Amino acid sequence: NERESWICFEVPACLRLIPSHYSLRHGLAGPGRRLTDWSILVSHDGFGWMTLRKHTSDSSLHVPGQPFPACTYTLPERPDSDFGHPSSMRKAYATPEYLEGMKVRDQEAKALLFRIKAMGGIRFIKLQLDGPDSSGSHCISLSGIEVFGELSVDLHRVIRAVAPPRGVSRYGATRGSSRPLLSHGGHDHEDDDGASTDPASSP
């Protein structure tokens, strides 16, 4: 129960994620401790963070009479599910100012996605509280978190992970030598004139 409490998830080192949506499920059956003000931050290295979505006075998880309410949100925040092109019904009732605001938010969302794709995706995603919950506490009361998006493999990291150490071949011998790095039995070695002194080969 601390201010700016947070929870962070890490994608395996060989994978990268370009997020598109995420879902939250409240952690209690009762009406208390619903999230109200929080942010979603992402990072590709765990040090530099970028705010992908900010929720302020959000009541999407405040559903009276519904235990464990859940909701799905876009990442980053987009004015409409199809990137700023409202449905015919919404467009019919929307004011010119509202439509102009949607275009601005649409451009901001596209800029964030461009930055994420330019860095090859992210590995860390963090949910951080920006204020107290509906009960006035700073607890993260959730029973489920899901993140959706495009997952890709960092082939360069995979290749480095499976490659042998520098100077060592795939078969355990140093490059330029046919002798093994480890001997599996016996006491085979060479004396100063190069002759073998393996006891098993002595008459």
Side-chain angles (χ1 to χ4, degrees):
N1 189 7
E2 299 180 358
R3 294 181 183 274
E4 297 186 348
S5 297
W6 54 269
I7 182 170
C8 182
F9 301 92
E10 178 182 358
V11 175
C14 62
L15 300 177
R16 293 295 182 271
L17 173 68
I18 299 178
S20 61
H21 298 76
Y22 80 104
S23 296
L24 297 180
R25 181 181 176 89
H26 184 50
L28 299 175
R33 295 191 172 179
R34 308 287 176 96
L35 294 187
T36 301
D37 298 276
W38 75 94
S39 296
I40 298 296
L41 301 92
V42 296
S43 172
H44 73 285
D45 57 6
F47 296 97
W49 293 90
M50 174 172 47
T51 301
L52 207 55
R53 177 155 188 166
K54 189 176 182 67
H55 298 261
T56 302
S57 300
D58 193 319
S59 60
S60 55
L61 295 176
H62 302 213
V63 184
Q66 180 179 342
F68 304 103
C71 190
T72 299
Y73 313 89
T74 57
L75 286 176
E77 182 179 6
R78 299 194 288 269
D80 202 34
S81 60
D82 51 358
F83 269 85
H85 300 285
S87 64
S88 57
M89 181 178 296
R90 179 178 294 186
K91 188 173 183 180
Y93 292 97
T95 64
E97 292 78 10
Y98 178 80
L99 292 175
E100 186 62 30
M102 289 184 65
K103 291 181 180 180
V104 173
R105 294 192 297 273
D106 174 44
Q107 293 173 355
E108 294 173 348
K110 288 181 177 180
L112 286 172
L113 280 179
F114 179 82
R115 289 179 59 187
I116 292 175
K117 291 180 179 180
M119 67 177 65
I122 57 101
R123 281 192 57 215
F124 302 86
I125 183 165
K126 179 195 294 186
L127 185 151
Q128 177 177 293
L129 295 186
D130 297 328
D133 57 25
S134 62
S135 299
S137 68
H138 295 270
C139 296
I140 300 177
S141 180
L142 295 171
S143 61
I145 300 179
E146 292 182 284
V147 181
F148 308 90
E150 179 182 336
L151 198 63
S152 60
V153 178
D154 185 348
L155 292 178
H156 295 288
R157 182 175 291 273
V158 172
I159 292 173
R160 290 196 301 268
V162 300
R166 181 174 296 180
V168 178
S169 73
R170 294 176 57 189
Y171 304 101
T174 56
R175 291 187 178 130
S177 171
S178 59
R179 295 178 61 93
L181 290 178
L182 299 175
S183 176
H184 302 283
H187 303 281
D188 188 17
H189 63 277
E190 293 180 355
D191 58 19
D192 294 339
D193 59 4
S196 174
T197 58
D198 183 5
S201 63
S202 302

